[in-house]
């Protein structure tokens, strides 16, 4: 909630024509009913995502992924960024821009089939209802669609944070159902750790790119690169812990709403039982007097109307986001302890 998420704009900007073309191409290229087991991403796509995130450091940016699905493997060969919306823009402007870009790529014989989308967000704060709705729409049109999550803040700490996800079948059923209650989640056996499925990801580069990287690596060793010796971790961990605390507070508020709903339901059910017992006594007296019995229940009485259960989807997403923050803190702390032990070993020991 504290981060700007363009997921709703992405989901409405796919376009019916682009969806139909992508679905037909993916269906003809993928095996029968098979889901992708791995994702191959071209190095140029990764550089485009990094450039897009670096140019907009305080915004969550996104864009479509283009490629092809073959033999249970998804190949992402190209992508392009979507411009950030302004106050005067609407979904039609984004759709027109995306349609124009796909048309230009088709004219120059570049892969133009949409196979997913990417999103760049700091500190892994991406699990929102808009994100889930957007990914569900992609997978509804192209079963092999995935989403690439890039974390610029984590990358600045020395590790490229890039992961591929897709929604699990249980989560897709949950999104398609209008009932997001706790009973539906139990029926589908859906929990925060089964919402998303991480797909193995491989970054591929051409032979010329590898040759260039080898030359750059040789030049880099000639310089004193002290940046990688930075041991400060306080800022990154502090931001993660603060976001974790905010998410826990929001989850507590959602749970309080659900608790209040359960109290209201229990109160109304008690009123219904009391009214039924009172009406039975009245009917017994009326029967002795030879009068017709009154109905034991008044379905049109607004006081006896049980309110609908609140949606538990938001709480589920918050729980998943909390688990994501905890995993990040654990992984980063492990790496930081390793650096500190190495630094300690380099220090001269007192005699």
């Amino acid at each position: 909630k504290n981060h700007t998420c363009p997921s709703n704009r992405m989901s409405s900007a796919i376009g019916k024509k682009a969806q139909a073309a992508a679905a037909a191409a993916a269906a003809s290229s993928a095996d029968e009913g098979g889901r992708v087991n791995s994702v191959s991403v071209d190095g140029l796509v990764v550089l485009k995502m990094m450039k897009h995130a670096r140019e907009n450091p305080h915004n969550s940016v996104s864009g479509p992924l283009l490629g092809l699905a073959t033999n249970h493997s998804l190949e992402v060969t190209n992508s392009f960024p979507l411009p950030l919306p302004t106050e005067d823009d609407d979904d039609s402007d984004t759709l027109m821009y995306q349609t124009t870009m796909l048309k230009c790529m088709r004219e120059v014989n570049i892969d133009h089939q949409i196979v997913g989308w990417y999103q760049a967000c700091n500190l892994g704060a991406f699990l929102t209802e808009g994100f889930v709705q957007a990914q569900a729409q992609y997978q509804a049109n192209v079963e092999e669609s995935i989403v690439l999550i890039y974390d610029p803040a984590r990358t600045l700490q020395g590790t490229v944070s890039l992961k591929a996800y897709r929604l699990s079948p249980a989560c897709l059923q949950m999104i398609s159902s209008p009932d997001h209650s706790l009973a539906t989640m139990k029926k589908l056996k859906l929990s925060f750790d089964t919402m998303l499925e991480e797909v193995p990801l491989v970054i591929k580069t051409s032979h010329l790119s590898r040759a260039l990287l080898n030359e750059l690596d040789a030049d880099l060793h000639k310089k004193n690169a002290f940046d990688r010796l930075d041991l400060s971790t306080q800022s990154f961990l502090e931001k993660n812990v603060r976001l974790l605390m905010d998410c826990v507070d929001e989850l507590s508020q959602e749970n309080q709403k659900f608790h209040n709903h359960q109290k209201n339901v229990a109160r109304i059910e008690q009123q219904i039982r009391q009214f039924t017992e009172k009406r039975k006594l009245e009917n017994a007296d009326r029967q002795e007097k030879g009068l017709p019995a009154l109905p034991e229940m008044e379905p049109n009485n607004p006081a006896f109307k049980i309110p609908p259960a609140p949606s538990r989807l938001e709480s589920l997403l918050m729980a998943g986001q909390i688990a994501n923050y905890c995993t990040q803190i654990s992984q980063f702390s492990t790496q930081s302890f390793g650096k500190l032990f190495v630094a300690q070993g380099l220090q001269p020991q007192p005699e």
Side-chain angles (χ1 to χ4, degrees), residues 64-75:
L65 299 174
L66 311 177
L68 198 65
T70 56
N71 298 327
H72 298 283
S73 176
L74 186 65
E75 297 183 6

Side-chain angles (χ1 to χ4, degrees), residues 234-245:
Q234 180 179 358
S235 176
F236 183 82
L237 288 178
E238 181 180 355
K239 292 178 181 177
N240 268 282
V241 173
R242 286 187 178 276
L243 291 175
L244 177 61
M245 294 169 58

Side-chain angles (χ1 to χ4, degrees), residues 44-348:
L44 180 62
V45 177
V46 179
L47 292 178
K48 286 184 177 181
M49 286 190 294
M50 291 182 173
K51 181 175 181 293
H52 193 195
R54 187 171 62 251
E55 292 174 349
N56 303 274
H58 303 295
N59 295 285
S60 181
V61 296
S62 61
L65 299 174
L66 311 177
L68 198 65
T70 56
N71 298 327
H72 298 283
S73 176
L74 186 65
E75 297 183 6
V76 181
T77 58
N78 203 354
S79 68
F80 60 88
L82 288 179
L84 291 176
T86 60
E87 296 181 357
D88 300 330
D89 292 342
D90 54 12
D91 294 336
S92 60
D93 296 332
T94 306
L95 175 59
M96 184 180 300
Y97 172 81
Q98 178 169 308
T99 305
T100 304
M101 288 292 296
L102 294 175
K103 181 180 178 182
C104 294
M105 291 182 176
R106 184 169 58 251
E107 291 176 352
V108 297
N109 198 23
I110 297 179
D111 289 340
H112 58 277
Q113 293 138 1
I114 297 179
V115 294
W117 59 298
Y118 73 84
Q119 181 173 345
C121 51
N122 287 318
L123 302 176
F126 66 91
L127 264 180
T128 62
E129 187 172 355
F131 166 83
V132 174
Q133 294 287 354
Q135 181 59 22
Q137 184 172 350
Y138 271 98
Q139 290 186 221
N141 293 283
V142 183
E143 183 184 1
E144 295 81 5
S145 295
I146 53 96
V147 54
L148 293 180
I149 300 298
Y150 170 65
D151 191 343
R154 181 70 183 274
T155 302
L156 290 176
Q157 301 297 322
T159 304
V160 177
S161 180
L162 183 64
K163 294 184 178 181
Y165 294 104
R166 66 184 170 207
L167 298 182
S168 63
C171 187
L172 287 175
Q173 295 182 31
M174 176 75 176
I175 297 300
S176 60
S177 172
D179 183 17
H180 296 164
S181 63
L182 184 61
T184 305
M185 295 182 184
K186 290 182 178 179
K187 181 180 178 181
L188 297 174
K189 298 180 179 179
L190 180 64
S191 61
F192 66 89
D193 55 346
T194 59
M195 286 190 305
L196 297 178
E197 296 178 352
E198 185 174 354
V199 186
L201 184 143
V202 177
I203 300 177
K204 291 187 177 181
T205 56
S206 63
H207 297 293
L208 292 177
S209 300
R210 293 179 183 178
L212 177 61
L213 290 175
N214 288 332
E215 291 185 4
L216 295 177
D217 185 61
D219 295 337
L220 183 63
H221 286 303
K222 298 178 182 178
K223 303 177 182 179
N224 293 326
F226 295 107
D227 294 340
R228 55 182 76 176
L229 299 179
D230 185 16
L231 300 178
S232 61
T233 59
Q234 180 179 358
S235 176
F236 183 82
L237 288 178
E238 181 180 355
K239 292 178 181 177
N240 268 282
V241 173
R242 286 187 178 276
L243 291 175
L244 177 61
M245 294 169 58
D246 294 340
C247 205
V248 170
D249 291 339
E250 294 175 1
L251 180 61
S252 176
Q253 295 176 5
E254 289 292 327
N255 290 336
Q256 185 63 37
K257 293 179 182 178
F258 184 70
H259 180 65
N260 293 336
H261 166 74
Q262 289 181 318
K263 290 175 60 178
N264 292 332
V265 171
R267 177 178 53 82
I268 294 174
E269 289 178 348
Q270 183 179 5
Q271 291 178 354
I272 293 175
R273 287 193 298 268
Q274 292 176 353
F275 178 83
T276 304
E277 294 175 358
K278 182 179 178 182
R279 182 56 58 90
K280 287 181 179 179
L281 296 176
E282 292 180 1
N283 287 335
D285 294 339
R286 293 175 66 88
Q287 186 177 6
E288 292 178 356
K289 297 177 182 179
L291 299 176
L294 298 175
E296 294 185 359
M297 187 61 189
E298 296 180 359
N300 296 327
N301 191 340
F304 298 153
K305 185 177 181 181
I306 297 180
S311 174
R312 300 296 292 166
L313 179 60
E314 192 70 24
S315 300
L316 187 69
L317 295 174
M318 289 180 185
Q321 190 63 62
I322 290 174
N324 189 27
Y325 285 143
C326 293
T327 302
Q328 286 189 154
I329 293 174
S330 176
Q331 293 177 351
F332 187 76
S333 300
T334 302
Q335 297 174 359
S336 300
F337 276 122
K339 290 182 180 179
L340 292 175
F341 282 125
V342 171
Q344 182 182 7
L346 296 176
Q347 298 295 324

